[in-house]
Amino acid sequence: MLRLYEDLFETSGYTPDVRPVEDFRSPTNVTVNLALAHIIDMDEKNQVLTADVWLRLKWTDEFLTWNASEYGGIEIITVKAVKIWRPDFFLYHNVNHEFDGWLENVVMIYSDGTVDWKAPAVTMSACLVDVSDFPFDKQECPLKFGSWNQDGRQVNYVNESRNGDLGDLIPNVEWDVPKLEVERHVEYYSDVPYPDVTFTIHMTRKTTFYVINMFLPCVLLAFVVAATFYLPPDCGEKISFGVAVLLSLAVFQLLVAEAVPRSENIPVIGRYIFVSMALMSLSLISTAFVITLGDSVQDSKPVPDWARKVFLKYASMALLMGNQSRRSWKSCENSYSPPTSVPLTEMNGFSNGNGVYSVRRGSPTLRSMSTSFTDSHPASEKQLECLKQIQFTVQEMLTKIKYVDNVHNVHNEWKILAKVVDRIFLVLYIIACVITLLVTLFTVGT
């Protein structure tokens, strides 16, 4: 073994600074393969992928060959990597400023000159993150390897297979790695080829955490706002409840903004929250309209006939609320109706011994009998004047009661109309929320 080392590195004059080829015009073919051991971190905000990889490089060193039979059957030797020539192997888009090269590990050299270099390393590379489908996104992070100074006429990089090695991959809590693709590219700069081998890591985000802690609460908040339409129109908590839910959704919007990088691409959950906030804002506007409609007496004007027919009849029946137009008319018919009143001018009055007047229908009018009555009872003229004043007061009271009762019935009719309109807004809001949710889910990945 010692004699072999001396013959290879001392007596032969081997130097790691010279590319090991007999003909300098022929390039050194370097076979590249990579095994992904672990996804350490995926920083979406800074767009940096940190991964633990095992690099495997093979090439032929024409100056390190020997006849195994002359050295006791030794076919493989292990030496320090710094003692042999190595390709100018570089990771493009490397963002690790402390990374000064690959580990100076040992390499295995075979008797035919094949060098097998396995270099474990922790890479930090730039990865363009597309957050359009967050948190249902899939990312593709390339690891591009090649020479920085040596062009394709000196070192030719080729891939060993079309897929990288995922056999020893440690599962990540946030990302799944379904495949690791390998492609070889050749780029020309000033008509000089620069080959490279690119390993593309396909990552799929595990959505359980984000669905439970972020997406599902947003969906529930969006549907909870529908409860405001079930509150009575005269309830003062309708708007305050809607505003509280809207502010809660705004907090989730801030959480999403902190989790994803600043980009022109709006994540899918961000789009859903934005549309939900717009629907909530419209629901608050509709709630304000319903409250105004329910509290509006419109100067004691009844509900228009077209509104009564469209909303209180057809719309209420379509919403399974029954024919509300009958209910409104029934309330008007059951309004306060005083006992049958007969004007005192059409009633015959007489006084008993206690000075109390009795009335009965069908008698001569008070006006026609007043003269004869006063003539026969001169002392009762003052009582007749009091009776006339009582008649006037009762008539005013009856008129006032009828007016108040009519205003009350009109107000109840407007309340019924507001309730029907509120239910229409409820159906429209639920339909809009369901459509928004379905469109959000079906547009993921498109």
Side-chain angles (χ1 to χ4, degrees):
M1 179 68 72
L2 182 59
R3 184 167 57 90
L4 177 59
Y5 273 87
E6 292 177 352
D7 292 343
L8 290 178
F9 297 102
E10 294 180 4
T11 60
S12 64
Y14 183 87
T15 174
D17 298 329
V18 178
R19 190 165 59 91
V21 290
E22 297 291 344
D23 185 3
F24 72 93
R25 292 171 297 184
S26 62
T28 301
N29 293 321
V30 179
T31 303
V32 183
N33 195 10
L34 182 142
L36 182 62
H38 182 47
I39 299 293
I40 299 176
D41 182 43
M42 179 61 184
D43 189 354
E44 294 97 336
K45 198 162 188 177
N46 296 317
Q47 303 191 71
V48 175
L49 172 66
T50 305
D52 181 13
V53 299
W54 299 340
L55 274 169
R56 301 169 182 172
L57 282 72
K58 289 184 179 181
W59 67 90
T60 300
D61 193 322
E62 299 180 5
F63 299 154
L64 296 178
T65 60
W66 69 91
N67 190 352
S69 59
E70 296 179 359
Y71 296 92
I74 299 176
E75 295 183 353
I76 303 175
I77 62 174
T78 302
V79 299
K80 290 288 186 180
V82 293
K83 291 186 176 182
I84 67 170
W85 176 89
R86 290 170 298 170
D88 179 22
F89 196 66
F90 190 81
L91 171 63
Y92 299 120
H93 308 299
N94 177 38
V95 297
N96 187 4
H97 301 288
E98 298 179 357
F99 183 76
D100 56 356
W102 306 107
L103 295 179
E104 301 297 336
N105 212 328
V106 297
V107 296
M108 300 176 62
I109 305 175
Y110 295 83
S111 58
D112 59 353
T114 302
V115 180
D116 188 1
W117 182 32
K118 299 176 182 179
V122 175
T123 63
M124 295 180 63
S125 60
C127 177
L128 183 61
V129 179
D130 184 9
V131 296
S132 300
D133 295 332
F134 178 84
F136 310 98
D137 54 331
K138 298 180 180 180
Q139 305 297 336
E140 297 182 1
C141 294
L143 299 178
K144 186 177 180 180
F145 296 96
S147 290
W148 191 257
N149 295 316
Q150 296 173 328
D151 55 53
R153 296 171 298 182
Q154 299 173 348
V155 179
N156 181 34
Y157 291 99
V158 294
N159 52 303
E160 184 178 353
S161 61
R162 298 181 59 88
N163 296 304
D165 188 2
L166 296 175
D168 298 320
L169 177 64
I170 300 175
N172 186 272
V173 295
E174 187 176 357
W175 297 94
D176 284 327
V177 183
K179 60 181 177 179
L180 177 60
E181 292 184 342
V182 186
E183 292 182 351
R184 179 181 180 272
H185 305 95
V186 178
E187 297 183 4
Y188 289 87
Y189 300 96
S190 301
D191 295 332
V192 178
Y194 285 86
D196 64 79
V197 176
T198 303
F199 296 85
T200 304
I201 304 175
H202 295 262
M203 299 184 300
T204 303
R205 189 188 300 273
K206 297 179 181 179
T207 60
T208 304
F209 174 82
Y210 295 97
V211 169
I212 294 178
N213 295 282
M214 191 174 294
F215 187 75
L216 188 58
C218 295
V219 175
L220 294 179
L221 287 176
F223 281 94
V224 162
V225 176
T228 59
F229 296 101
Y230 268 106
L231 296 175
D234 54 352
C235 179
E237 300 297 328
K238 289 173 69 74
I239 292 182
S240 60
F241 178 77
V243 171
V245 177
L246 182 61
L247 294 178
S248 301
L249 202 60
V251 172
F252 281 98
Q253 177 68 24
L254 295 177
L255 294 178
V256 173
E258 293 179 358
V260 299
R262 297 178 181 179
S263 172
E264 294 183 355
N265 298 328
I266 303 176
V268 61
I269 187 174
R271 296 195 297 268
Y272 176 78
I273 292 177
F274 177 78
V275 176
S276 298
M277 293 177 65
L279 292 177
M280 289 182 185
S281 301
L282 293 178
S283 71
L284 292 177
I285 296 175
S286 64
T287 299
F289 172 76
V290 169
I291 293 176
T292 305
L293 186 64
D295 290 340
S296 176
V297 186
Q298 300 291 336
D299 296 330
S300 301
K301 293 182 181 179
V303 176
D305 293 336
W306 66 268
R308 184 181 294 107
K309 185 176 182 180
V310 173
F311 293 101
L312 300 184
K313 184 177 180 181
Y314 296 112
S316 62
M317 294 178 64
L319 296 172
L320 304 179
M321 298 175 63
N323 192 347
Q324 298 294 326
S325 61
R326 294 181 180 178
R327 179 180 175 184
S328 61
W329 280 110
K330 186 176 180 180
S331 63
C332 293
E333 293 175 358
N334 294 337
S335 61
Y336 172 78
S337 179
T340 303
S341 60
V342 180
L344 293 179
T345 57
E346 298 179 1
M347 294 188 294
N348 183 21
F350 61 91
S351 175
N352 55 18
N354 298 325
V356 178
Y357 281 84
S358 300
V359 295
R360 68 176 182 268
R361 288 174 173 267
S363 301
T365 62
L366 182 64
R367 187 180 299 275
S368 62
M369 297 180 62
S370 61
T371 304
S372 61
F373 184 81
T374 55
D375 293 341
S376 60
H377 302 83
S380 300
E381 182 177 0
K382 187 175 181 180
Q383 297 179 355
L384 182 60
E385 293 296 330
C386 292
L387 186 61
K388 290 182 179 180
Q389 292 179 3
I390 293 174
Q391 176 193 6
F392 179 76
T393 303
V394 170
Q395 287 178 348
E396 283 189 347
M397 292 176 62
L398 291 176
T399 303
K400 184 64 176 179
I401 290 174
K402 289 182 180 180
Y403 175 77
V404 172
D405 193 49
N406 182 61
V407 171
H408 179 71
N409 292 331
V410 170
H411 188 60
N412 286 340
E413 194 173 24
W414 282 105
K415 277 189 175 181
I416 296 174
L417 177 62
K419 185 177 180 181
V420 174
V421 173
D422 207 12
R423 192 63 58 86
I424 293 175
F425 285 144
L426 169 64
V427 174
L428 294 177
Y429 180 80
I430 292 178
I431 293 175
C433 287
V434 172
I435 292 177
T436 302
L437 180 60
L438 294 178
V439 170
T440 300
L441 295 177
F442 284 109
T443 53
V444 173
T446 58

